[in-house]
Amino acid sequence: MIERKLKVHLEGHWNEGKVLIVLGPRQVGKTTLLEYLCSQTGDYLLLNGDDPIVRQTLENIGEVQLKQLIGKYQTVFIDEAQRIPNIGLTLKIIHDRIKNIRVVVSGSSALELSSNINEPLTGRKWEYHLYPISWQELSQHIGFLGVKQQFEIRLIYGMYPEIINRLGDEEAVLKQLASSYLYKDLLNYNGIRKPEILSKLLIALALQVGSEVSYNELAQLLRIDRATVEQYIGLLEQAYVIFRLNPLSRNVRNEISSSRKIYFYDNGIRNALIGNFNPLALRNDTGALWENFLISERLKANHYNNSTTKAYFWRTHAQQEIDYIEERGGQMYAYEFKWNPKAKNKFPNSFVEAYQPVEKQLIIPDNFEDFLR
C-alpha cells in the first residue's frame, strides 16, 4: 500500500472522540486507508452505504437500534456515507449518546453529505479530503529514480492508485473510471435533469484545460441554458471530478474578474474523456497537461500540509497573464508554468506594481518537484 500523507493527520485525531470524515473522488483509496487504520485498533464494524440493506437499516434509526447494531464494537466505519439518508442525524446520535465509540466516515460526493452533516455535526467532526496519489507520495513509494522514469507516464495516465499499480492496463482502467462510475453519485441526484449532458460537458471542459471557460459559450455549444451549465459545473465540483480556479481582481482597472479556469483532479481522467493517450511528442496539448498536473498536485500538497493558501490566476483584457498565484501570509507568490526548459518569461510590471511584495518563480520540468512539496 502506498503510504498516504493524510494518514498522519487521521492518526493524530484518532482518539479525540470526534467523527473523522474523509471526502474525495471514488477509487482514490479512501476505503483502503480507513480500513487499514481501523484494523490497527482491533475489530471494527463496516457499514457500506452502497449496500441497499445498510441504507434501509440506517435511515431514521433510533438510539436503541443503533446500540444493538454496534454491539461490542468500539470502531464504526461508514463507507460511502453520502448514499445514506439522514446520515448526519445518525452520526450525531452515535457521537452524543453512545460512549467510547470511534466513528469514521468516507464519502465520494459532497452533494448530499456536506448538507446532511454540517449542522448536526457542528463541533463534533474533523473533515479531510483524499485525492489521487500525489507526486510526493509516489516519490516516497518508488524512489527518486522511479518517479523520474514514470514522469511522462504520469502526465498522460494520471495518479489513480489502480492506474499506478497496473502498468500496461492504464487505458482500459481509465476508460472504466471515466465512465459514469466516476460521477455515479451525480446520476442518482435529482438535480440532474439531463444526464446525457454531463459527458458532453466534461469533454468540452477537458478540451479547455488551461484556458478561460465561458459559460455562455458552453451553453451555446451544448444547446442548453447558461444556468444549467453553471449548475452542472458546480455539481461536478461537488463530485470531485473538476475544480475551479478563480481570477485575482483587486487593483488593476482592466483585470478580468468574471472568468474562471477549470481543471481536473487527474490528468488520466481528462485524457480518457477525450480519448487521447498519445505520447507527449505526438500531442499539441502538452502545455495544458503540464499546467493541469502542476495545479492539481499543488492543491494536494497544500491540503496535506494544512495550508490556508488562497489560489488564483490573473489576466487582463490586454492579454497580460500569470498562470497561477497564491496568497499566503499577506504576500503574493506568482508562478508561470513552461514545459520548455529554455522558455523565458517576464512577469507583467502592472501586476508586480499592484501587488507588491511579490515573489516570482518559473516552474519547468527541471525544478517542479520543489513546487510540489
Side-chain angles (χ1 to χ4, degrees):
M1 186 176 74
I2 297 175
E3 185 84 1
R4 306 307 301 267
K5 292 292 182 182
L6 190 58
K7 176 173 170 284
V8 174
H9 297 295
L10 294 173
E11 289 175 333
H13 297 302
W14 196 250
N15 295 312
E16 291 185 359
K18 291 188 177 183
V19 178
L20 288 176
I21 299 172
V22 177
L23 303 175
R26 286 181 176 268
Q27 297 293 300
V28 296
K30 299 186 300 297
T31 303
T32 300
L33 173 60
L34 292 176
E35 282 194 316
Y36 170 78
L37 290 172
C38 288
S39 69
Q40 299 304 296
T41 54
D43 292 338
Y44 61 95
L45 176 63
L46 173 61
L47 300 168
N48 188 346
D50 280 334
D51 187 325
I53 296 177
V54 170
R55 291 200 299 271
Q56 184 179 10
T57 301
L58 292 182
E59 184 178 4
N60 298 319
I61 191 172
E63 179 182 341
V64 174
Q65 292 86 355
L66 276 171
K67 287 180 177 179
Q68 292 174 342
L69 176 65
I70 294 171
K72 63 180 179 62
Y73 293 103
Q74 292 185 318
T75 300
V76 178
F77 174 23
I78 303 178
D79 200 17
E80 299 298 348
Q82 78 281 351
R83 303 293 308 280
I84 303 169
N86 302 315
I87 185 61
L89 293 175
T90 300
L91 293 171
K92 182 176 183 293
I93 293 172
I94 297 175
H95 179 275
D96 292 354
R97 306 299 301 171
I98 306 178
K99 302 303 180 184
N100 301 317
I101 296 296
R102 182 185 298 108
V103 184
V104 183
V105 177
S106 81
S108 59
S109 170
L111 289 169
E112 296 92 354
L113 192 55
S114 291
S115 59
N116 285 335
I117 65 175
N118 282 340
E119 184 176 348
L121 293 184
T122 300
R124 299 175 174 87
K125 65 180 173 71
W126 289 106
E127 184 175 309
Y128 289 97
H129 291 79
L130 187 69
Y131 302 105
I133 302 297
S134 72
W135 183 261
Q136 192 173 6
E137 289 169 338
L138 183 62
S139 180
Q140 291 180 350
H141 184 67
I142 64 176
F144 177 79
L145 182 59
V147 290
K148 287 292 185 183
Q149 292 170 333
Q150 290 194 19
F151 181 45
E152 180 171 340
I153 295 174
R154 294 301 129 226
L155 283 177
I156 296 170
Y157 293 114
M159 306 286 281
Y160 268 79
E162 189 174 4
I163 301 302
I164 291 172
N165 291 326
R166 292 181 60 178
L167 291 174
D169 293 331
E170 293 95 342
E171 292 186 24
V173 176
L174 276 169
K175 287 175 182 177
Q176 181 182 7
L177 278 175
S179 68
S180 59
Y181 184 78
L182 182 67
Y183 39 95
K184 176 180 178 181
D185 299 296
L186 282 180
L187 299 178
N188 294 320
Y189 181 63
N190 58 17
I192 298 293
R193 301 187 305 275
K194 301 175 181 178
E196 71 279 1
I197 294 295
L198 282 175
S199 294
K200 294 179 181 179
L201 176 59
L202 279 168
I203 292 172
L205 294 173
L207 293 170
Q208 296 186 46
V209 163
S211 302
E212 292 169 60
V213 172
S214 166
Y215 289 175
N216 289 329
E217 291 180 6
L218 287 171
Q220 293 175 7
L221 175 67
L222 301 173
R223 297 181 180 179
I224 56 178
D225 60 84
R226 186 186 188 281
T228 300
V229 169
E230 192 162 4
Q231 179 198 12
Y232 282 18
I233 286 176
L235 294 174
L236 286 167
E237 278 192 290
Q238 292 179 79
Y240 301 105
V241 182
I242 60 174
F243 62 95
R244 275 180 276 198
L245 189 64
N246 292 319
L248 177 66
S249 177
R250 296 179 188 170
N251 296 321
V252 181
R253 181 176 299 177
N254 67 343
E255 286 176 332
I256 290 174
S257 60
S258 60
S259 61
R260 74 286 299 157
K261 289 186 177 183
I262 292 179
Y263 297 92
F264 285 77
Y265 280 103
D266 186 75
N267 270 21
I269 294 297
R270 182 265 181 185
N271 288 333
L273 288 167
I274 62 174
N276 186 352
F277 297 109
N278 290 334
L280 298 181
L282 300 179
R283 304 183 73 104
N284 59 8
D285 62 351
T286 301
L289 288 181
W290 179 232
E291 184 172 329
N292 194 91
F293 169 79
L294 289 173
I295 291 180
S296 61
E297 287 297 321
R298 183 70 169 190
L299 178 151
K300 299 174 192 176
N302 283 339
H303 178 70
Y304 296 147
N305 291 331
N306 283 333
S307 172
T308 57
T309 295
K310 295 180 181 178
Y312 311 91
F313 73 94
W314 183 83
R315 189 178 179 189
T316 69
H317 292 286
Q319 307 302 309
Q320 294 178 311
E321 61 182 327
I322 297 175
D323 290 331
Y324 182 72
I325 297 164
E326 289 187 345
E327 181 181 13
R328 58 182 186 272
Q331 181 171 338
M332 294 293 183
Y333 297 80
Y335 303 92
E336 274 291 294
F337 306 137
K338 299 295 182 183
W339 177 249
N340 183 354
K342 297 180 180 179
K344 294 182 180 180
N345 190 74
K346 182 179 180 181
F347 290 84
N349 289 332
S350 57
F351 176 85
V352 175
E353 292 170 0
Y355 292 101
Q356 290 183 350
V358 178
E359 185 172 310
K360 301 164 289 184
Q361 188 175 3
L362 180 65
I363 307 297
I364 58 176
D366 292 340
N367 68 359
F368 79 95
E369 289 180 292
D370 287 339
F371 178 67
L372 302 184
R373 287 193 172 90

